[in-house]
Amino acid sequence: MPQVRQLAAIMFTDIVGYTALMGYDEQKAFELIKINREVQKPIIESFGGKWIKEMGDGVLASFNTVIEAVECAIAIQQSVKNIPGLRLRIGIHLGDVVFENDDVFGDGVNIAARIQAITAAGSVWISEPVYNNVANKKNIQTKFVQVATLKNVREPVRIYEVTSRPEQSDEKGNDIQEQDNVQPAAGQQYEPPSSNTNNGTPYEKSVAVLPFVNMSSDPDQDYFGDGVAEEIISSLTHIRNLKVAGRTSSSQFKSAKIDIREVGKILRVSHVLEGSVRKQGNLLRVTAQLINVADGFHLWSEKFDGSLDDIFAIQDKIAVAIASKLKITLFENDLEQIKKLYTHNTKAYQFYLQGRYYWKRRSKEGLQSAIRFFEKALLEDPDYALALTGIADSYKLIGEFTNVNRKDLYQKQKTAITRALEIDPLLAEAHISNAMSLMLSEWDWKNSEKEFKTGIALNPNYATGRHWYAEWLFYNGNFEKGYHEISMAVELDPVSQGILKDKGMHLYYNTNYDEAIEIALNTLDLDPGFVPVYRLLSLCYVGKQQFDKAIEFNEKWGTFMRKNIKTTVSLAHIYASAGRKDEAENLIKDVKPAELGSNDYRGMALVYTALGNKTKAFDWLEKSIEMHEESLCSLKVDPKFAAIRNDDRFKDMVKKVGL
């Protein structure tokens, strides 16, 4: 076929999360490709399109008119929205292309592919030439997304999103943005929103603060740049009308070679603050620049020279400058929160930053190091409330990430929290830590809820507060409100693996296994070494009765955690659930109570529940209650106990946990 050059609408589609799925469930990935092909091909042909080719999980098609391409894309998205696991990104561009031998080439193809690559999941994004052709069509609604600099494309491209219905408006005619976290009206079936956290345009007044680059010659000073950024984040979260990306999400981009505009897209923010720190002895140089994500322009930049004693004033100036440049009115209370000092001691402050640096590692060694640095901070300043909450949070995580029983940690945690609240009764982090302790360690549901609400009221933008309160709601069976809170936490900290994983756990508790798996795989895309996700995947595949997959992920979980007894007990539960009763019993017949760690007594109860031995199941549940295992908090909603849920003995157990 000779070359033919013509103007054409080029459409690219691809499957969200396909690469991760291929790595963990090859068979399902192939099935999804087949379904995708069966859905798209007839739709493309019905709109007069030409199916050019498949490229892995992507599809390339061309159309003679823009209208046909856009209407086809809308039809495809509507067709796949109810197919589990199949979510698409679709990009369309109108440009000059060359057709040859049933293939297509040229800049028009490249631009369509680049647009598709940055499109939000479940959406159709189009270039400006496409927009100009559909803007006046009543049945096609569009909204501006961003100006994007695309790889190998010389000029920035204005990009728009296509919607299949008009925007809603309030009674005054103002646009109402769709919310990810809308709860269903009374009587409606509960359908959780999409797990994707990047499916809309950025908030107009929003910012992400990236870890400040360490410009000193000592790599051990990395903690200081991270800490400066986190303290600025902490100050900014108290400003009303400003959305601030959480510290966990922002820290994901440390040392990453990624365009600022891509960071803004991922975190759904309109602005990014980046900077650097040079610390030599007591001398300090801090540089900061605020960047507009839409066009990459610097709205503000400044260099600060001084000593360590000036660090608090520098952080205040940066926070105030951001508010000023974003045209946010600062009220008196906002200024008080920005300038609030938790210590005047710079040595204590540096130790505290080092503590938080190690705390984020979420390992036994990291948490032990964190506690040492928090304790050093308190030696310098005994009234440093944030250092006390750091100790409390570290003990909380040691109970989660190690075999140490929570009962052995509880008193140390409680002492630190009590002292922090005595020093600063308005410290949101301390109230949230107290709420978590009351819930997990005392099963005091009434007062823990009160503390969660107090902490969130003091700082509504504290993602961890909403994350942990969501757990309280899940455990009490309030799935709709719990999903709302965990979605708020994701909105505030969109690439926090811990928050995303627990969003998946909520879906698991609600027996929505496919969506839970999808979130788990997306979380592994962020960090394949985030261990708890493997446990979630194993649980979900047990729920789906795909026991080989459950065993595979259980083995991965056990390998990472190096907890042979936990792996053994959970494997026995999988065998029992699969009907392999002899193998399950052989695994646990020689298990001695002295070998069991935190939450393993409840694990044994689950094995006997799956084996159908109710007597032993309740015996082990009694032991679990005696050990006050924190995993009993999910007793009321855990689907693994479905077989004994209607037994009066089980109802008594739930009451003992206070639920």
Side-chain angles (χ1 to χ4, degrees), residues 224 281-284 306-314 341 343-347 349-350:
F224 196 79
N282 196 47
L283 297 177
L284 191 66
S307 69
L308 273 175
D309 293 333
D310 300 315
I311 185 59
F312 306 116
I314 291 171
L341 285 182
T343 183
H344 293 273
N345 187 310
T346 55
K347 282 188 178 180
Y349 177 72
Q350 290 181 80

Side-chain angles (χ1 to χ4, degrees), residues 84-348:
L86 184 56
R87 289 193 301 140
L88 301 177
R89 297 185 182 93
I90 302 180
I92 304 174
H93 176 62
L94 175 65
D96 196 33
V97 296
V98 174
F99 289 91
E100 182 179 17
N101 297 327
D102 294 323
D103 208 341
V104 62
F105 309 92
D107 283 347
V109 177
N110 179 47
I111 293 173
R114 299 301 180 193
I115 292 173
Q116 172 269 307
I118 65 171
T119 297
S123 298
V124 179
W125 285 11
I126 60 177
S127 64
E128 189 166 35
V130 177
Y131 166 80
N132 290 336
N133 279 267
V134 301
N136 295 322
K137 304 298 180 183
K138 291 183 179 180
N139 63 325
I140 298 175
Q141 302 298 316
T142 59
K143 59 182 179 181
F144 174 71
V145 176
Q146 60 174 285
V147 177
T149 299
L150 305 176
K151 186 176 180 181
N152 296 330
V153 179
R154 285 176 294 180
E155 298 294 331
V157 177
R158 292 179 64 85
I159 295 176
Y160 298 79
E161 180 179 1
V162 175
T163 58
S164 57
R165 61 178 177 81
E167 293 282 354
Q168 292 174 292
S169 59
D170 63 19
E171 59 186 10
K172 296 180 181 179
N174 299 317
D175 286 343
I176 299 175
Q177 296 296 319
E178 291 188 55
Q179 300 297 314
D180 293 10
N181 308 318
V182 176
Q183 296 187 46
Q188 286 185 324
Q189 184 179 0
Y190 173 50
E191 289 291 341
S194 166
S195 60
N196 175 49
T197 62
N198 186 31
N199 58 352
T201 55
Y203 290 83
E204 181 184 356
K205 296 181 179 180
S206 53
V207 66
V209 181
L210 303 188
F212 278 37
V213 177
N214 172 26
M215 299 298 289
S216 53
S217 56
D218 183 2
D220 290 339
Q221 296 295 320
D222 273 2
Y223 78 89
F224 196 79
D226 291 5
V228 167
E230 291 196 11
E231 292 300 288
I232 293 170
I233 290 171
S234 182
S235 294
L236 292 173
T237 57
H238 292 284
I239 299 177
R240 67 192 78 184
N241 302 324
L242 177 65
K243 178 185 179 290
V244 185
R247 62 190 69 188
T248 310
S249 290
S250 295
S251 67
Q252 296 295 317
F253 299 99
K254 181 179 180 180
S255 303
K257 294 181 179 179
I258 183 170
D259 188 273
I260 288 296
R261 285 162 287 192
E262 182 70 10
V263 173
K265 181 178 78 74
I266 294 169
L267 299 184
R268 291 186 64 191
V269 294
S270 57
H271 299 83
V272 171
L273 181 80
E274 63 176 4
S276 63
V277 176
R278 185 184 299 277
K279 178 174 167 286
Q280 291 181 320
N282 196 47
L283 297 177
L284 191 66
R285 168 171 286 183
V286 178
T287 63
Q289 45 270 339
L290 183 65
I291 301 166
N292 185 11
V293 168
D295 53 22
F297 290 158
H298 286 58
L299 291 181
W300 166 84
S301 63
E302 194 161 339
K303 179 174 66 178
F304 304 90
D305 288 315
S307 69
L308 273 175
D309 293 333
D310 300 315
I311 185 59
F312 306 116
I314 291 171
Q315 289 169 171
D316 293 346
K317 288 177 181 177
I318 293 172
V320 171
I322 291 171
S324 173
K325 293 301 175 183
L326 298 186
K327 294 181 172 58
I328 295 172
T329 301
L330 291 178
F331 297 92
E332 185 175 347
N333 185 58
D334 297 329
L335 286 168
E336 286 178 6
Q337 289 295 331
I338 288 175
K339 296 183 177 182
K340 182 175 180 178
L341 285 182
Y342 296 96
T343 183
H344 293 273
N345 187 310
T346 55
K347 282 188 178 180

Side-chain angles (χ1 to χ4, degrees), residues 383-415:
D383 292 333
Y384 198 174
L386 279 178
L388 287 160
T389 62
I391 287 175
D393 290 348
S394 297
Y395 281 125
K396 185 265 177 192
L397 290 178
I398 284 177
E400 181 177 342
F401 285 90
T402 73
N403 265 329
V404 180
N405 194 293
R406 182 170 292 280
K407 287 176 68 176
D408 300 331
L409 305 169
Y410 170 64
Q411 194 52 54
K412 293 177 180 178
Q413 182 183 3
K414 188 68 177 177
T415 299

Side-chain angles (χ1 to χ4, degrees), residues 444-596:
D444 184 346
W445 299 95
K446 181 179 179 180
N447 286 313
S448 60
E449 182 183 30
K450 181 180 176 182
E451 282 291 87
F452 276 126
K453 289 182 175 179
T454 299
I456 291 170
L458 288 168
N459 188 351
N461 291 325
Y462 184 37
T464 299
R466 292 192 178 275
H467 172 196
W468 290 350
Y469 181 42
E471 291 187 17
W472 189 100
L473 292 162
F474 298 162
Y475 296 152
N476 280 273
N478 192 337
F479 287 104
E480 292 181 18
K481 192 171 181 182
Y483 199 89
H484 174 77
E485 287 295 323
I486 196 69
S487 296
M488 288 281 287
V490 171
E491 189 75 24
L492 291 164
D493 213 348
V495 294
S496 164
Q497 297 99 316
I499 294 175
L500 285 171
K501 185 269 295 183
D502 280 344
K503 189 171 185 179
M505 283 303 303
H506 162 74
L507 292 163
Y508 166 78
Y509 288 140
N510 204 36
T511 66
N512 195 333
Y513 303 125
D514 286 327
E515 282 205 46
I517 289 169
E518 184 179 357
I519 284 183
L521 293 175
N522 288 341
T523 306
L524 285 178
D525 273 346
L526 295 170
D527 181 5
F530 189 68
V531 179
V533 177
Y534 294 102
R535 174 62 171 157
L536 170 59
L537 284 164
S538 180
L539 292 172
C540 289
Y541 281 113
V542 172
K544 286 169 65 67
Q545 298 188 328
Q546 295 181 15
F547 300 111
D548 288 344
K549 296 296 294 183
I551 291 169
E552 175 190 339
F553 284 108
N554 183 71
E555 289 175 351
K556 289 182 179 179
W557 174 63
T559 300
F560 277 108
M561 293 293 282
R562 299 177 184 174
K563 293 182 177 180
N564 292 331
I565 190 64
K566 288 192 179 298
T567 306
T568 299
V569 172
S570 56
L571 181 60
H573 175 258
I574 297 171
Y575 283 160
S577 301
R580 297 161 63 176
K581 294 188 175 183
D582 290 343
E583 292 170 271
E585 289 174 343
N586 283 335
L587 280 176
I588 59 172
K589 66 181 180 180
D590 296 324
V591 170
K592 298 177 177 59
E595 299 173 331
L596 299 175

Side-chain angles (χ1 to χ4, degrees), residues 602-643:
R602 176 180 172 279
M604 292 290 287
L606 285 169
V607 175
Y608 283 108
T609 298
L611 287 169
N613 189 332
K614 290 187 178 182
T615 300
K616 286 193 174 182
F618 284 113
D619 286 345
W620 280 102
L621 270 179
E622 285 286 3
K623 292 183 176 73
S624 178
I625 286 175
E626 290 172 15
M627 297 298 294
H628 209 93
E629 292 185 321
E630 70 173 78
S631 59
L632 287 171
C633 289
S634 65
L635 191 63
K636 183 177 178 178
V637 295
D638 193 333
K640 296 187 290 298
F641 282 118

